[in-house]
Amino acid sequence: MIVWGTRSGKFAAEYAINESEPQIELEQIKMYKEKIMRPLKKKNGTNIIQIRKKLKKIAWEKIGVIRDGPSLKESISEIQKIIDFEFRNISTTAKNRRYNKEWIEALEMENMASVLLITAKAALMREESRAAHYRRDKPKTDYDKWNKNIVIKKVKNKPELKMVPVNITKLHVPKGVVHYGVVR
Amino acid sequence: VNNLGENKNFNVKIYRFDPDFDEKPQYKKYSIPYEEGLSVLNVLKYIYQEIDHSIAFYSSCRIGKCNGCLMTVNGKPKRACTTPAKKNMVIEPLKNHEIIKDLVVKFQ
C-alpha cells in the first residue's frame, strides 16, 4: 500500500501540473478550511482519542456481529449525538500541522462516524438476517420481502436510505422465509 | 496492575524532535504498565493514547510486512510491530533519513 500510495501521489501531481485550474467555489473552500483547521485552533476541547474509544465501544457492543433492533436504535442516536455535538469541540494537543496524529485522526473520525451511522441505519432497516447481517430479533432470511438492496444517498447532510429491488438476470433466487444459514 | 496484582511498570526512552519548535532533539522517558507480549508498537500506541497525544510515529500493517514502522530500537533498525518491548529500551527514528517529526522519517 505504501508503494501504491507513493506512485498514485506522484502521478496525480504530474497530472495536476499539466491541467488547467477548474472553477472553484471560494465560499466552500473557506468553509472546509475553517472546519479542517478548527481542531488546531481550538483550545481545551474534547480529545479525539476519547471520541474514538466511544465510537469503538458503540460499534462493538451495538452494531457488532449479533445485532438487534433496540440496540441498533440506541446506537443511531448515540452516534448522531457525537456527530452533532462532539465533533465541533475537538482540539488537538500539538497545534502545528507537522505529522500531527491527533489531527489526522480528527479529520478521519467524521468519516468513521458516518460509516457507522449508515451501517446502523441500514441494519435497522433490514428486518431479517442474511449472511454477515444477523439480528436476534429477526433471525430468519426473508426472500419475499428482502430480496432488496439498500441504497444510501446523502441528502442535506444526512443519509437517506432506499430499498431497491435486485435486478435478477441468471441466478435463481429462492422464495419464502427460511432459517438463517440454510443454502438452497 | 497486572494479573498477579502487582503494579509493574517499565520505562522507555523516546527520541522527540519537532523541527518547527525544537532546536535539537531530546529524549523523553515514559513509564508503561507491563503486559505480556507487548511489542514496541504497542508501547508507542499506549503512549499516544494514554500519556502524550503529541508523539508522532507511523504504522500500517502491524504484521511485519509493510516496513512502515521501521525505527531504531536500542541502536538497531527494527520493525516496531514485530519487535518485543524490553524495559529501558531506547526508541529512535531510522538513521540516515530526514526526520519529519519524532519517529517519522522521510522514506524515499
Side-chain angles (χ1 to χ4, degrees):
Chain A
M1 256 194 297
I2 291 169
V3 179
W4 297 126
T6 309
R7 287 175 64 112
S8 333
K10 189 172 163 249
F11 289 119
E14 277 168 15
Y15 172 82
I17 275 178
N18 296 321
E19 278 298 299
S20 60
E21 239 174 77
Q23 284 293 316
I24 42 174
E25 264 182 68
L26 288 174
E27 270 307 301
Q28 203 181 18
I29 301 274
K30 212 179 130 194
M31 193 262 286
Y32 275 109
K33 202 173 163 188
E34 259 167 41
K35 195 174 149 190
I36 288 166
M37 298 306 285
R38 202 186 295 138
L40 295 179
K41 291 199 177 122
K42 196 160 188 85
K43 281 175 193 148
N44 304 319
T46 322
N47 183 261
I48 188 67
I49 293 154
Q50 299 313 318
I51 297 179
R52 190 199 185 91
K53 279 183 183 168
K54 261 193 215 174
L55 282 172
K56 269 173 108 167
K57 199 167 144 61
I58 296 168
W60 179 247
E61 286 173 1
K62 294 178 179 169
I63 323 171
V65 183
I66 295 173
R67 305 150 167 183
D68 61 60
S71 47
L72 283 169
K73 250 183 223 161
E74 275 172 36
S75 76
I76 291 168
S77 72
E78 283 167 27
I79 297 162
Q80 193 64 56
K81 231 188 252 166
I82 292 176
I83 292 175
D84 292 344
F85 301 109
E86 300 207 24
F87 281 144
R88 307 197 112 256
N89 271 323
I90 293 168
S91 78
T92 58
T93 309
K95 291 298 181 194
N96 58 338
R97 288 159 55 181
R98 183 180 285 272
Y99 211 90
N100 192 330
K101 270 176 87 71
E102 271 185 304
W103 190 37
I104 298 168
E105 240 185 276
L107 300 178
E108 287 172 348
M109 204 58 61
E110 205 163 322
N111 297 337
M112 188 165 136
S114 310
V115 171
L116 271 180
L117 190 67
I118 289 167
T119 310
K121 283 194 169 180
L124 182 66
M125 189 179 195
R126 186 174 283 279
E127 295 186 331
E128 62 153 1
S129 291
R130 180 184 292 263
H133 166 72
Y134 186 86
R135 275 179 64 165
R136 62 163 77 80
D137 56 339
K138 309 275 176 197
K140 294 201 169 168
T141 302
D142 187 343
Y143 285 105
D144 293 339
K145 246 197 228 158
W146 276 105
N147 192 6
K148 300 262 174 32
N149 286 319
I150 297 174
V151 177
I152 298 128
K153 203 175 153 190
K154 188 175 172 184
V155 181
K156 285 180 190 155
N157 254 327
K158 292 238 156 116
E160 199 180 81
L161 287 79
K162 228 173 32 187
M163 273 163 67
V164 180
V166 178
N167 182 18
I168 298 158
T169 51
K170 282 181 182 167
L171 282 176
H172 160 74
V173 180
K175 284 194 170 24
V177 180
V178 302
H179 285 294
Y180 173 78
V182 175
V183 183
R184 289 204 289 192
Chain B
V1 180
N2 68 3
N3 53 8
L4 300 168
E6 291 169 279
N7 213 343
K8 265 202 214 163
N9 272 50
F10 68 102
N11 290 329
V12 298
K13 231 162 66 176
I14 296 179
Y15 178 104
R16 301 295 308 267
F17 180 49
D18 184 340
D20 285 350
F21 301 115
D22 307 333
E23 272 180 21
K24 55 179 187 195
Q26 50 173 324
Y27 288 83
K28 273 195 190 163
K29 228 180 183 180
Y30 299 93
S31 173
I32 315 292
Y34 175 80
E35 244 177 76
E36 204 163 315
L38 276 185
S39 68
V40 175
L41 185 61
N42 292 149
V43 168
L44 293 174
K45 283 189 174 171
Y46 181 87
I47 294 169
Y48 167 64
Q49 288 182 0
E50 310 295 335
I51 307 173
D52 187 343
H53 309 315
S54 70
I55 190 171
F57 57 92
Y58 176 81
S59 70
S60 181
C61 79
R62 324 182 308 282
I63 51 169
K65 299 282 180 197
C66 78
N67 284 353
C69 64
L70 274 173
M71 51 189 72
T72 308
V73 181
N74 284 341
K76 286 186 181 147
K78 296 274 185 192
R79 297 181 189 95
C81 62
T82 52
T83 305
K86 290 201 181 92
K87 64 176 180 181
N88 299 325
M89 64 183 174
V90 183
I91 310 174
E92 296 162 298
L94 210 54
K95 282 171 187 159
N96 303 322
H97 284 72
E98 189 190 323
I99 290 159
I100 296 171
K101 185 185 168 184
D102 301 337
L103 306 170
V104 183
V105 297
K106 218 172 198 170
F107 283 116
Q108 207 45 268

